[in-house]
Amino acid sequence: VKCQRGMPKNTRILALFDVDGTLTEPRKTVSPETIAFLKALRENIAIGVVGGSDLVKQKEQLGDSPNLFDWCFAENGLLAHKDGVIIGQTSFKDHLGEEKLKKLINWILRYFADLDIPVKRGTFIEFRQGMLNVSPIGRNCSREERNDFEKFDLANKVRETMVARLKQEFADYNLTYSIGGQISFDLFPTGWDKTFCLKYLPEADFDEIHFFGDKFFEGGNDYEIYSHPRTTGHAIEDANPMTTLKKLSELFGVQCPACLSPPLSH
């Protein structure tokens, strides 16, 4: 679908983006050229963003994301905005209930008390809107301690072993476990991946939903939405925002910038 200048906006076509490695370099801020491109694209079609991070982290990278996009989904859609207004909020706590949540947290703390690893710091469980982030060493370890733990974990399978035990112990909770980064793993209700945001995008309202993401392979956090029957998936294999803009330019006829300003790191 090529959009001509001056034609009315086609809101039945949606371009939906991952953040890291798609609109920005991983963990870095968006370039002004990308922002200008998205504004031009938004005159032609509907645009949306779906990221795993919370809204605070998303805004650090993209600026005022709820107002930059027609559809803005933080934490995979657990916090949903349309045209800058909140249209939905979902929480892990409400879904699981206090009793089950308390049982889960108590089990994790007891497990950590008996876990012998070289170093322990603080913040072993981070409670988020849609998940628990669990770290055997503790999230406020130093960069050096983080790197050392990653090596220790690779050799000793600390996280892998713990996840296997949790799966056994809490089989009836219907949770998904995702080991990512160097020091922690996430656990969240099964189905609360990026496809969660599709419930806010009624099938009857869209002719095409194009999803752009770099973690499109099985096990990556874009995989479920990239391969979903309701979306046309576009793989950003080199995790380069310029690749995203080139693909969009080919699809929708918006002129691509010659280059992107180098990003500022957080």
Side-chain angles (χ1 to χ4, degrees), residues 15-32:
L16 190 57
F17 306 99
D18 165 47
V19 182
D20 278 332
T22 303
L23 293 178
T24 72
E25 288 185 27
R27 298 274 167 249
K28 295 185 178 172
T29 52
V30 70
S31 71

Side-chain angles (χ1 to χ4, degrees), residues 10-212:
N10 186 350
T11 56
R12 296 190 63 80
I13 296 173
L14 173 65
L16 190 57
F17 306 99
D18 165 47
V19 182
D20 278 332
T22 303
L23 293 178
T24 72
E25 288 185 27
R27 298 274 167 249
K28 295 185 178 172
T29 52
V30 70
S31 71
E33 294 85 359
T34 301
I35 295 282
F37 184 96
L38 290 171
K39 282 180 178 166
L41 181 64
R42 192 178 179 184
E43 288 173 17
N44 293 337
I45 62 167
I47 63 172
V49 63
V50 54
S53 297
D54 63 28
L55 188 61
V56 172
K57 290 194 181 81
Q58 193 181 90
K59 282 181 165 180
E60 282 173 4
Q61 289 180 268
L62 296 176
D64 186 8
S65 49
N67 288 301
L68 180 61
F69 297 88
D70 299 284
W71 302 88
C72 172
F73 302 110
E75 294 196 60
N76 294 348
L78 298 181
L79 178 60
H81 287 77
K82 183 179 191 295
D83 300 325
V85 177
I86 293 176
I87 55 167
Q89 275 183 290
T90 315
S91 88
F92 183 48
K93 172 173 65 76
D94 294 344
H95 174 83
L96 210 56
E98 287 295 358
E99 275 310 305
K100 280 184 158 183
L101 181 61
K102 191 167 63 176
K103 191 179 166 194
L104 178 63
I105 289 173
N106 286 347
W107 190 94
I108 292 168
L109 291 173
R110 209 171 285 120
Y111 186 94
F112 281 157
D114 296 331
L115 179 67
D116 187 27
I117 55 176
V119 165
K120 287 183 184 177
R121 291 298 177 251
T123 315
F124 300 99
I125 302 173
E126 191 172 88
F127 178 80
R128 299 178 184 170
Q129 176 86 0
M131 65 175 70
L132 292 183
N133 177 267
V134 179
S135 173
I137 184 175
R139 289 195 66 82
N140 53 12
C141 56
S142 69
R143 169 69 56 195
E144 192 181 348
E145 288 161 351
R146 174 184 283 263
N147 293 341
D148 289 345
F149 176 79
E150 184 180 27
K151 289 183 198 131
F152 182 84
D153 183 52
L154 274 171
N156 296 278
K157 300 195 183 324
V158 178
R159 289 181 290 176
E160 201 179 301
T161 306
M162 185 173 182
V163 163
R165 287 282 310 278
L166 277 160
K167 281 181 177 172
Q168 199 180 342
E169 196 74 25
F170 296 96
D172 58 328
Y173 276 34
N174 199 19
L175 297 172
T176 293
Y177 300 82
S178 169
I179 297 176
Q182 296 176 288
I183 58 163
S184 65
F185 62 89
D186 296 330
L187 55 93
F188 50 88
T190 299
W192 285 23
D193 52 58
K194 286 186 180 172
T195 59
F196 189 89
C197 77
L198 294 175
K199 74 177 206 164
Y200 291 109
L201 304 168
E203 215 156 338
D205 292 0
F206 297 95
D207 296 325
E208 298 172 24
I209 297 177
H210 295 266
F211 174 77
F212 299 79

